[in-house]
Amino acid sequence: MKSWTQQVPVAPLPKRVVALLFLLLFLGVYAISASHSLHQLVHHDAGAANHECVFVQVSSGHFLDTAQPVVLLEPLGTIAELHSVSVFIFASRDCPLLPGRAPPLSPA
């Protein structure tokens, strides 16, 4: 008889522990950046005007900024600007050859 209940696959223990640690780190960073008193427990100079750390960046919303400007390359050209290439094929009607045949030998 077939069982209608299916077992849900469970991740191995090391993966669950690492996922829990990252979740706690993520929530901890946001908790410290939201609370000034928690931030002062981590840094003694948290109230200084020139203080910059991860918590200040997260609380201001600028932690995803890049230090260098992004350089975009200009396109080389469009299809309309490309020049057409003409191919010339010189064919002779003197000695028509069937496909797969070689030219005749010269009597030299």
Side-chain angles (χ1 to χ4, degrees):
M1 178 172 244
K2 205 177 210 183
S3 174
W4 293 102
T5 60
Q6 291 182 345
Q7 293 181 354
V8 177
V10 178
L13 184 63
K15 280 188 175 183
R16 288 187 284 169
V17 169
V18 169
L20 181 65
L21 287 175
F22 277 119
L23 178 66
L24 290 175
L25 178 67
F26 177 76
L27 294 176
V29 166
Y30 273 95
I32 292 173
S33 66
S35 173
H36 186 66
S37 60
L38 286 176
H39 190 196
Q40 284 183 339
L41 289 175
V42 176
H43 295 289
H44 64 280
D45 63 342
N50 59 356
H51 178 74
E52 289 290 324
C53 68
V54 168
F55 308 117
V56 173
Q57 297 293 320
V58 170
S59 66
S60 66
H62 298 295
F63 64 98
L64 293 178
D65 287 345
T66 58
Q68 297 292 324
V70 177
V71 177
L72 298 176
L73 300 176
E74 292 183 18
L76 295 176
T78 61
I79 295 175
E81 294 175 353
L82 296 177
H83 300 287
S84 63
V85 177
S86 299
V87 177
F88 296 103
I89 299 174
F90 296 103
S92 173
R93 294 183 182 208
D94 295 337
C95 184
L97 298 175
L98 295 175
R101 298 287 182 168
L105 294 174
S106 68

